[in-house]
Amino acid sequence: MTYGMIATWRMAYDGVASMTEALKNGEGAGTALVEAIKKVEDYPFYKSVGYGGFPNEECILEMDAAYMDGDTFDIGAVAGIQDVKNPIAVAEALSHERFNSFLVGAGATKFAKQAGFDCRNMVTARAKRLWELRLEEIQKHNLSPYDGHDTVGAVALDLNKKMVAGTSSSGLFMKKSGRVGDSPLSGSGFYVDSEIGGATATGLGEDLMKGCLSYEIVRLMGTGMHPQAAADQVVYGFSDLLEKRKGKAGAFSLVCMNKNGEWGVATNVEFSFAVATEKEAAEIYLAYPAENKTTRIEVADKAWLDAYEARIKKPVD
Ligand code: ASP
């Protein structure tokens, strides 16, 4: 019997650390994952998820989230939901619905309100100011507006061998109203099968969804491949394929864990993630693409962590 959780970005660390303790004490994977992601959604300085997240081009915060149960394959998802404190909780609730389990836009928001989920204004003064500054910068330097995004995606395994996966994201900064990324899309942003393992993604959704990368990693793990080998093969294979066919590949990173609590990560950019298992205490790592389609992984040192903290809290004027 084992347990564990892996999740994208440094922002997931607190939830991974506290919820793996809960998993150790018998908490279910579903509750642990939802609580871990809620922590990220609630923290205003994580600017790409939940409260304080990146607004769209009209300065409206439209959020995407999904939840998948690896025992039953039940999926719940929302896209473009507004004014809801915890989109992941709404996605989890929708996963219990036989019909209407993926809701978008006004319909998703209406469902959350009617079901009694905590609703509030989710655009912070800081996010609004960052939006204004970014707009000025784009106009002044004639930049592409689409720079800035990160999703919290997690996979959890509990003592009963249940696995779940979930995501939450404000998507692409300055996105068009109605734009949806990979995060709420099964197979692209996440996938999990308790008899194999799970995977989840972060990065440019428009490219991630071209390869159904989360599903691909789970499929390879299902052939007996170690999670690290599966992640390397899928991420570098698809990044190279996009380069070949389209001339470029967006940034993307995936994490995965199998039913034994073994994990893997692969990325085509510098990428931080958090993981904890029965065998390994919660830790923040950095991953980099390395030679011959492999991934270099190292523990994030104090200098990196301090710089990160300073960056996310940097005053805006
Ligand atoms: N995958 C997200 C999206 O495209 C953003 C990210 O994870 O960086 O919406």
Side-chain angles (χ1 to χ4, degrees), residues 95-143:
S95 75
H96 302 289
E97 299 291 327
R98 177 73 183 94
F99 301 103
N100 307 302
S101 53
F102 186 171
L103 299 178
V104 304
T109 308
K110 185 170 161 188
F111 168 83
K113 283 186 180 150
Q114 284 176 347
F117 285 94
D118 202 342
C119 294
R120 57 181 65 182
N121 169 33
M122 297 289 283
V123 181
T124 59
R126 182 182 173 85
K128 185 160 182 283
R129 189 65 194 126
L130 286 171
W131 180 88
E132 286 165 354
L133 291 170
R134 181 72 189 149
L135 201 61
E136 275 171 34
E137 213 175 54
I138 292 164
Q139 284 160 354
K140 204 154 105 196
H141 304 292
N142 197 20
L143 301 173

Side-chain angles (χ1 to χ4, degrees), residues 48-265:
S48 56
V49 176
Y51 187 55
F54 282 133
N56 68 10
E57 67 174 1
E58 295 163 23
C59 205
I60 293 168
L61 179 58
E62 294 183 321
M63 301 168 287
D64 301 337
Y67 174 92
M68 181 168 185
D69 180 319
D71 283 356
T72 59
F73 301 120
D74 285 337
I75 292 173
V78 290
I81 197 169
Q82 292 179 28
D83 301 326
V84 172
K85 181 171 171 280
N86 294 116
I88 186 64
V90 181
E92 191 280 333
L94 287 169
S95 75
H96 302 289
E97 299 291 327
R98 177 73 183 94
F99 301 103
N100 307 302
S101 53
F102 186 171
L103 299 178
V104 304
T109 308
K110 185 170 161 188
F111 168 83
K113 283 186 180 150
Q114 284 176 347
F117 285 94
D118 202 342
C119 294
R120 57 181 65 182
N121 169 33
M122 297 289 283
V123 181
T124 59
R126 182 182 173 85
K128 185 160 182 283
R129 189 65 194 126
L130 286 171
W131 180 88
E132 286 165 354
L133 291 170
R134 181 72 189 149
L135 201 61
E136 275 171 34
E137 213 175 54
I138 292 164
Q139 284 160 354
K140 204 154 105 196
H141 304 292
N142 197 20
L143 301 173
S144 158
Y146 308 122
D147 183 23
H149 48 88
D150 284 344
T151 298
V152 59
V155 176
L157 162 69
D158 71 21
L159 290 172
N160 289 322
K161 302 184 178 187
K162 183 189 181 80
M163 296 195 77
V164 301
T167 58
S168 183
S169 185
S170 55
L172 212 53
F173 194 13
M174 294 285 172
K175 64 189 178 185
K176 295 273 175 219
S177 166
R179 180 264 185 194
V180 178
D182 61 299
S183 306
L185 300 184
S186 163
S188 291
F190 63 93
Y191 198 78
V192 64
D193 177 339
S194 299
E195 292 185 2
I196 300 174
T200 184
T202 179
L204 186 65
E206 283 77 357
D207 278 358
L208 278 162
M209 61 177 87
K210 294 179 172 93
C212 301
L213 300 188
S214 293
Y215 180 78
E216 272 298 288
I217 289 177
V218 175
R219 191 181 64 77
L220 287 185
M221 290 194 297
T223 67
M225 208 180 251
H226 187 280
Q228 185 57 52
D232 285 344
Q233 180 167 323
V234 168
V235 168
Y236 303 121
F238 196 66
S239 191
D240 288 353
L241 191 60
L242 276 180
E243 293 269 3
K244 192 172 144 206
R245 300 270 193 98
K246 278 180 59 66
K248 59 175 183 266
F252 49 76
S253 316
L254 282 95
V255 298
C256 58
M257 181 172 278
N258 69 13
K259 63 177 179 178
N260 303 318
E262 296 163 325
W263 53 269
V265 51

